Amino acid sequence: MNLFLKKTIFFTCILLCSILTQAQEKLSFNKGWKFYEGDIAFPVIKGHGQSYMNAKAGSASGAAAPGYDDHNWRIVNLPHDWAIENPSDSTENVSQGYRKRGFGWYRRKFKLDSLDRGKHLELQFEGIATYATIWINGSVVHRNWCGYTSSYIDITPFAKYGDEVNTIAVRVDANSMEGWWYEGAGIYRDTWLIKRSPVHIITDGVYANPVKLASGQWEIPAEISLQNTGSKPVTAQVEVGLYTPAGKLVEKKEQSVTVNTLDTNSVTLKIQTSNPALWTLENPALYHVRTIVKLNGSITDSLSTKCGFRTLKFDADSGFYLNGKHVKLKGVCNHLDHAGLGVAVPDAIQEFRLRKLKEMGVNAYRCSHNPPSASFLDLCDRMGIMVMDENRNFNSSPEYVRQLQWLVRRDRNHPSIILWSVFNEEPMQGTEIGYQMVRRMSHEVKKLDSTRPVTAAMNGGLFDPVNVSQAVDVVGFNYQIWAYDRFHKENPTIPLTSSEDVSAFMTRGEYTTNNSKHVFDGYDTHAADWGATHRNGWKAIAERPYLAGGFVWTGFDYHGEPTPHAWPTVSSFFGIMDLCGFPKAAYYIHQAQWLEDKDVMHLVPDWNWPADSIGKNIKVMAISNAETVKLFLNGKLIGEQNADKYEMNTWEVPYQPGKLMAIGYKRGKEISRYAVETTGAPVRLALNPDRASVKGNGIDALPITVEALDAKGRAVPHANFKVNFTLNGPGRIVSVGNGDPNSHEPEKGNVRSLFNGLAQVIIQTDEISADQTITITASAEGMKPARLVIPVKQAPALSYVPVISSNQLLEKWLVSEMSMSKPDPKKEIAENDMNSWQPSTTGKLQKMTGKYVMYRSNIKLSKRQIQRGSEILFKQLTGKAEIWANGEKIGEKTNAEPADFKVDLPKDKAYSSVTVLFQSNINEKTGFGGVVEFR
């Protein structure tokens, strides 16, 4: 065995040992991306040379090329939605909120430690709106055909290590649409770099969903999928342990599995337990399944997977049961976006939105009409909210089946998910083609998860001879109130739910409809032609025991789809809450309908009306879950009514300034009261944070409500003036909003008008190493400003892939044959000569068999570089060398020892090639010991 081989084996063993003792490393890739809004055309391919190289690996051109000059691009952190940064434009798409989308490019450079060589490296994009092409080091590695599916990219074969630089380029096509609502634009969800040992658990490779056996015992048939990217087959030991919410081990199993090189294999280990704490809406207990992979006793990978013990049942006669207990689904449908954030919504704002829904009485959430983020489902697991998880594209061809399979694989461990929905409102739902497609899609779901039923949201075709209701487990009705009883009568064995209902219109804080101004009153009197009011929609569901429940369209307003209006309206009216999460009257109607453990009372409208309204009748609605309601104006009884749990209670009250109060009673005892009061003019501002403090981890976000108060400290409901915000401390303002569907004010920046008394500003923290404070101030002309000091607590930050310099690199070189006589560095290479010179790269030396060798690389100078001049830095240039550019000698290294060497490219010259002529002795090593930077 020669010395070189011995050293190679020794190095490989050391490297393998270091890899085998490490579990996976997950690094955030969210920082330091270069961004360009707009498309960048690829160079037109002409000539033999370009044609030959066009499709070669690593030869991407234009903005996809590693050496592309992106110095003047913006730097952004992810998640990022560029559409929300654009102004409203009447010429853009109404359904997208009149926001320009178009194309965009992202680029990111990074380095990998030499110790990462041999690891399995995976790049993950959780969501890109809408279509994307992704390059690594000049090679196309992925094309994503859905804006809501994740991309898991094995970059191991393409990776560079040590001083060499890796380049990611992403072209985003946001002109492509998948939905008829605001979808945003850009890399709007998290990105990650995962480093794993060669023998590892694949992404989404643990399936550990508990099932209850006929014996009453619970079992987790944990299925573990492993991959081996090493060079030899291995036999790994897989250990699976179940841990209680408190961290106590319940049971552990272990089994061996053989995985061939560059292959995958799975093993199933069954864990049983008795009487676990159940996942319920009130106490969503979460257990952990800990999976460990070992080789020869050393851990190569480990993963903790959350799960919950619960049973689901949809009954054709009596609806839905969770853990054997009857539960009516009180759900909402929602899109992804929030005021000022677009679809790039931080987890803290997702939690805020879910908490507002749960406080309203929501127990179920329909992801409309696409997969949510994984972190969103984690929140639903923790908060006890059931989920209808919905597929985006209705298609049973291979690419779309792949998207469906991804959805189920990623999400099937979440106890919050109770239904898989394969489509929404598809035109072929009443045809044999639709039926055949759903048959196949449902089959694919069941192969991956047989514990939950499959549904489809149908808005027609229910009574056609062949339709998709015959291929699902639970039939979903969208706005088919008229069909509930008929379908149930004709199909008495099929479980049913409303999958989408209501579509009512309200404008927050408005109580007089004005069609010319695109304003709706807040009395729940307006609905789409196909829909119903909130009151009637729920009544139809509540009075039918066989219906599992319903999902109101929608929990929140959203950008786009300003039905029934168009420009200048830019967002919807459907929401129970507005774009900021400020409640409309519908919020309290559903509280009264849905909350069983809280006494509810609310009044609409507010009691600030103009002077010419005195003596005129004002419609007053008392929203409550009491038995009887009394209404008082300035202490005088207006009337008493038996409460109507569906319609609520209304009076016509002659307006007089003062105090309007409603009191609710049960069995003659007061249980609730609510009052609205005529206020004075606004004199000062107030800032009310959603939470008392924030985490200084760089990602935590806090919504802050801005309101105007009168001299007595009462909120003034119709204040509508501009407010300026300033922030000092470790944070930044990331969005402003006010919930007005007709507003065109920017949602980024530090200025926003109040709308009917309210506005919202959202701040996000920086990373800090010690506790600090953020001070935010709100000011407006003629108002006393408000000042809020927010504690920022030190908290663990994510581990990030380090951001590096964006200097261009000259990585692609051609190397000539070695010769004993000095060659001509001016010699041209014929365009069709693909064989005399060989491809080479930097970071390696070669042993000389002659005295001379030449390297040549093409360069492309930007106008800026030509005007100011540039330089080339050769790191660890080894050997004597002459540097030539366009046939001119521009530098010479006379020392053969390795050293950094710099040459200048004078200004006002458009150089196109660089040649390095090395001179050395035979058997000595020469070449580029390090990278070549071009700046």
Side-chain angles (χ1 to χ4, degrees):
M1 185 181 295
N2 63 41
L3 180 61
F4 175 77
L5 185 57
K6 288 181 179 178
K7 288 183 176 179
T8 302
I9 293 173
F10 175 76
F11 175 79
T12 303
C13 290
I14 295 296
L15 180 62
L16 184 59
C17 289
S18 67
I19 291 173
L20 293 184
T21 58
Q22 298 177 18
Q24 64 174 258
E25 184 180 8
K26 186 174 185 178
L27 303 173
S28 172
F29 228 134
N30 285 350
K31 284 186 178 179
W33 287 79
K34 291 291 193 75
F35 170 68
Y36 176 85
E37 184 176 354
D39 203 7
I40 299 173
F42 287 92
V44 177
I45 299 169
K46 291 183 178 180
H48 186 86
Q50 290 182 352
S51 299
Y52 178 83
M53 292 302 297
N54 172 56
K56 300 294 185 184
S59 297
S61 60
Y68 184 83
D69 182 9
D70 59 13
H71 80 277
N72 60 347
W73 290 16
R74 282 174 57 193
I75 297 177
V76 300
N77 292 332
L78 307 180
H80 176 237
D81 175 1
W82 81 70
I84 200 65
E85 301 170 351
N86 290 326
S88 302
D89 182 343
S90 63
T91 65
E92 295 294 335
N93 190 334
V94 56
S95 73
Q96 297 290 332
Y98 295 103
R99 305 279 180 149
K100 180 183 177 182
R101 300 179 73 214
F103 293 84
W105 281 85
Y106 295 84
R107 287 172 55 87
R108 176 71 151 82
K109 296 181 183 293
F110 68 104
K111 290 183 178 180
L112 292 166
D113 194 288
S114 296
L115 293 176
D116 290 330
R117 192 183 300 273
K119 295 180 182 178
H120 178 81
L121 304 173
E122 184 172 281
L123 181 62
Q124 297 183 354
F125 292 86
E126 291 195 7
I128 304 175
T130 298
Y131 295 163
T133 306
I134 302 169
W135 292 263
I136 301 291
N137 295 331
S139 292
V140 173
V141 292
H142 189 73
R143 288 185 173 92
N144 197 44
W145 301 111
C146 179
Y148 305 98
T149 61
S150 296
S151 301
Y152 305 149
I153 307 167
D154 178 5
I155 65 170
T156 313
F158 310 95
K160 301 176 182 179
Y161 304 90
D163 287 336
E164 293 190 278
V165 174
N166 297 277
T167 303
I168 306 170
V170 183
R171 179 182 183 265
V172 180
D173 173 4
N175 273 341
S176 298
M177 284 180 54
E178 292 183 288
W180 50 99
W181 59 86
Y182 178 87
E183 297 182 279
I187 307 176
Y188 71 97
R189 287 180 180 166
D190 290 325
T191 57
W192 307 93
L193 176 64
I194 315 295
K195 301 179 181 180
R196 298 184 177 106
S197 297
V199 180
H200 58 270
I201 305 164
I202 67 172
T203 301
D204 303 330
V206 173
Y207 179 31
N209 187 45
V211 293
K212 192 172 186 179
L213 304 177
S215 64
Q217 283 280 99
W218 287 87
E219 181 177 86
I220 300 178
E223 179 184 312
I224 317 300
S225 298
L226 302 184
Q227 184 179 30
N228 175 16
T229 55
S231 58
K232 293 183 178 180
V234 297
T235 298
Q237 292 74 45
V238 180
E239 177 188 295
V240 175
L242 174 65
Y243 294 82
T244 68
K248 182 180 178 182
L249 177 64
V250 177
E251 188 180 23
K252 184 166 59 177
K253 291 286 183 68
E254 186 171 334
Q255 187 173 324
S256 296
V257 58
T258 298
V259 191
N260 292 325
T261 182
L262 297 179
D263 205 353
T264 60
N265 201 1
S266 299
V267 60
T268 299
L269 294 89
K270 296 182 178 180
I271 297 177
Q272 292 193 354
T273 185
S274 301
N275 301 315
L278 298 181
W279 187 91
T280 66
L281 303 180
E282 301 76 23
N283 181 29
L286 292 173
Y287 283 67
H288 292 257
V289 173
R290 181 72 171 171
T291 305
I292 297 174
V293 181
K294 299 178 184 177
L295 279 183
N296 301 320
S298 296
I299 295 175
T300 69
D301 202 1
S302 62
L303 186 68
S304 182
T305 305
K306 294 177 183 176
C307 67
F309 291 83
R310 84 297 180 254
T311 61
L312 311 172
K313 179 185 176 183
F314 284 84
D315 186 86
D317 294 319
S318 54
F320 176 72
Y321 293 81
L322 179 67
N323 299 319
K325 177 183 176 182
H326 183 263
V327 176
K328 202 78 168 180
L329 299 180
K330 302 167 182 175
V332 290
C333 306
N334 281 297
H335 288 314
L336 302 177
D337 57 304
H338 189 88
L341 300 169
V343 293
V345 182
D347 289 346
I349 304 303
Q350 296 279 24
E351 188 274 338
F352 160 75
R353 286 162 62 94
L354 286 171
R355 182 160 30 84
K356 295 290 289 185
L357 290 171
K358 186 134 186 173
E359 289 169 1
M360 186 180 77
V362 165
N363 63 19
Y365 189 109
R366 180 183 176 210
C367 302
S368 309
H369 305 286
N370 48 264
S373 66
S375 57
F376 173 85
L377 294 174
D378 288 339
L379 286 168
C380 292
D381 290 343
R382 296 202 304 267
M383 298 174 71
I385 297 176
M386 298 176 289
V387 174
M388 181 193 294
D389 203 358
E390 191 153 278
N391 174 60
R392 170 75 290 267
N393 293 304
F394 181 44
N395 195 319
S396 59
S397 62
E399 165 58 26
Y400 295 97
V401 166
R402 182 193 67 81
Q403 294 176 18
L404 178 61
Q405 291 169 335
W406 164 83
L407 167 68
V408 179
R409 281 187 180 277
R410 188 197 66 166
D411 295 349
R412 58 187 176 174
N413 290 314
H414 289 281
S416 55
I417 295 175
I418 62 169
L419 282 166
W420 302 113
S421 174
V422 294
F423 74 65
N424 174 72
E425 297 181 358
E426 288 290 338
M428 290 190 287
Q429 59 199 341
T431 68
E432 184 178 357
I433 293 174
Y435 166 76
Q436 292 293 348
M437 289 168 65
V438 171
R439 266 188 73 218
R440 285 157 175 77
M441 295 174 77
S442 180
H443 178 67
E444 293 297 330
V445 172
K446 296 297 179 64
K447 285 196 296 187
L448 295 170
D449 176 47
S450 60
T451 68
R452 300 171 179 88
V454 172
T455 189
M458 299 181 66
N459 66 336
L462 290 156
F463 301 102
D464 288 312
V466 179
N467 68 80
V468 300
S469 72
Q470 297 154 1
V472 297
D473 305 306
V474 177
V475 174
F477 293 90
N478 281 20
Y479 309 107
Q480 304 294 296
I481 290 179
W482 63 271
Y484 290 164
D485 293 335
R486 177 187 167 188
F487 190 91
H488 178 58
K489 182 178 180 181
E490 294 182 13
N491 304 273
T493 63
I494 300 179
L496 310 176
T497 188
S498 171
S499 43
E500 186 173 322
D501 48 72
V502 177
S503 275
F505 306 133
M506 284 189 190
T507 306
R508 176 184 58 78
E510 298 288 347
Y511 302 101
T512 302
T513 297
N514 187 328
N515 288 321
S516 66
K517 293 185 177 180
H518 296 190
V519 170
F520 291 100
D521 69 65
Y523 295 105
D524 192 30
T525 56
H526 299 279
D529 293 341
W530 59 84
T533 64
H534 291 275
R535 294 168 294 168
N536 290 338
W538 178 247
K539 181 179 181 181
I541 293 167
E543 292 184 339
R544 289 168 169 80
Y546 60 83
L547 278 177
F551 293 84
V552 175
W553 189 265
T554 54
F556 297 86
D557 280 339
Y558 51 94
H559 296 88
E561 205 174 12
T563 306
H565 297 299
W567 184 266
T569 307
V570 294
S571 65
S572 74
F573 297 95
F574 293 118
I576 296 170
M577 289 174 274
D578 68 16
L579 265 168
C580 298
F582 296 136
K584 305 179 187 179
Y587 187 90
Y588 306 102
I589 290 172
H590 286 291
Q591 274 195 331
Q593 293 172 338
W594 290 351
L595 290 178
E596 299 173 0
D597 56 354
K598 179 181 178 180
D599 297 315
V600 176
M601 178 62 74
H602 191 82
L603 281 175
V604 292
D606 60 72
W607 211 238
N608 277 32
W609 291 80
D612 62 5
S613 297
I614 294 175
K616 296 179 181 178
N617 281 344
I618 303 296
K619 182 180 179 180
V620 174
M621 176 183 284
I623 301 168
S624 79
N625 55 5
E627 292 177 351
T628 58
V629 180
K630 291 182 180 179
L631 184 70
F632 299 85
L633 176 59
N634 295 326
K636 180 181 177 181
L637 179 65
I638 298 296
E640 178 178 1
Q641 296 181 14
N642 292 326
D644 188 321
K645 64 180 180 179
Y646 295 124
E647 288 297 316
M648 305 300 144
N649 296 86
T650 58
W651 291 263
E652 295 291 333
V653 179
Y655 178 67
Q656 290 292 332
K659 186 176 184 179
L660 184 72
M661 177 180 290
I663 301 177
Y665 299 87
K666 281 186 180 178
R667 295 181 292 277
K669 181 180 178 182
E670 179 183 330
I671 59 166
S672 57
R673 65 169 56 199
Y674 186 86
V676 289
E677 193 170 356
T678 309
T679 72
V683 297
R684 66 183 179 93
L685 295 170
L687 292 169
N688 301 307
D690 177 61
R691 289 175 282 127
S693 64
V694 287
K695 300 173 184 177
N697 56 11
I699 56 177
D700 195 13
L702 179 70
I704 301 168
T705 299
V706 190
E707 59 182 349
L709 306 180
D710 70 2
K712 294 183 178 181
R714 298 171 296 188
V716 181
H718 296 290
N720 291 290
F721 49 78
K722 275 188 168 55
V723 179
N724 291 272
F725 305 99
T726 57
L727 183 146
N728 293 294
R732 57 210 176 275
I733 295 172
V734 293
S735 79
V736 289
N738 62 16
D740 181 2
N742 301 307
S743 175
H744 297 169
E745 292 182 357
E747 296 185 48
K748 299 291 186 182
N750 67 335
V751 179
R752 189 68 172 184
S753 296
L754 298 178
F755 173 61
N756 287 333
L758 299 174
Q760 182 181 77
V761 56
I762 297 178
I763 65 171
Q764 195 164 29
T765 62
D766 297 333
E767 293 177 42
I768 59 172
S769 57
D771 290 358
Q772 297 184 44
T773 59
I774 287 174
T775 301
I776 186 164
T777 303
S779 59
E781 185 177 355
M783 297 291 117
K784 182 179 179 181
R787 181 173 176 269
L788 177 66
V789 178
I790 305 161
V792 184
K793 305 292 186 181
Q794 182 184 0
L798 292 175
S799 296
Y800 288 92
V801 176
V803 179
I804 65 170
S805 167
S806 60
N807 289 339
Q808 292 174 260
L809 297 180
L810 292 180
E811 299 178 289
K812 296 178 181 178
W813 294 81
L814 293 175
V815 58
S816 71
E817 293 182 357
M818 296 182 187
S819 62
M820 295 301 292
S821 58
K822 185 175 181 179
D824 181 5
K826 300 179 184 180
K827 181 182 179 181
E828 295 291 334
I829 304 175
E831 190 182 21
N832 61 353
D833 181 357
M834 305 303 168
N835 301 292
S836 298
W837 295 61
Q838 298 300 313
S840 185
T841 186
T842 58
K844 64 180 182 179
L845 304 177
Q846 60 176 337
K847 185 184 291 187
M848 296 293 290
T849 59
K851 290 186 177 182
Y852 298 93
V853 68
M854 287 195 298
Y855 287 79
R856 182 167 293 172
S857 181
N858 293 326
I859 59 175
K860 184 176 181 180
L861 298 176
S862 66
K863 290 182 180 179
R864 175 185 65 94
Q865 290 168 322
I866 294 173
Q867 291 171 353
R868 67 166 175 76
S870 53
E871 67 180 24
I872 302 176
L873 174 62
F874 299 87
K875 291 191 174 182
Q876 293 300 292
L877 193 65
T878 303
K880 297 178 182 179
E882 296 177 5
I883 316 299
W884 294 70
N886 283 20
E888 298 178 11
K889 186 177 178 180
I890 59 173
E892 184 174 1
K893 179 176 178 284
T894 58
N895 188 331
E897 295 301 314
D900 291 354
F901 187 76
K902 183 178 73 172
V903 295
D904 292 324
L905 295 178
K907 64 181 181 179
D908 298 327
K909 289 190 177 182
Y911 294 101
S912 60
S913 68
V914 174
T915 301
V916 181
L917 171 59
F918 285 97
Q919 178 183 351
S920 187
N921 296 321
I922 294 175
N923 292 329
E924 288 185 352
K925 289 188 174 182
T926 63
F928 305 119
V931 298
V932 180
E933 291 187 359
F934 175 46
R935 45 191 173 177

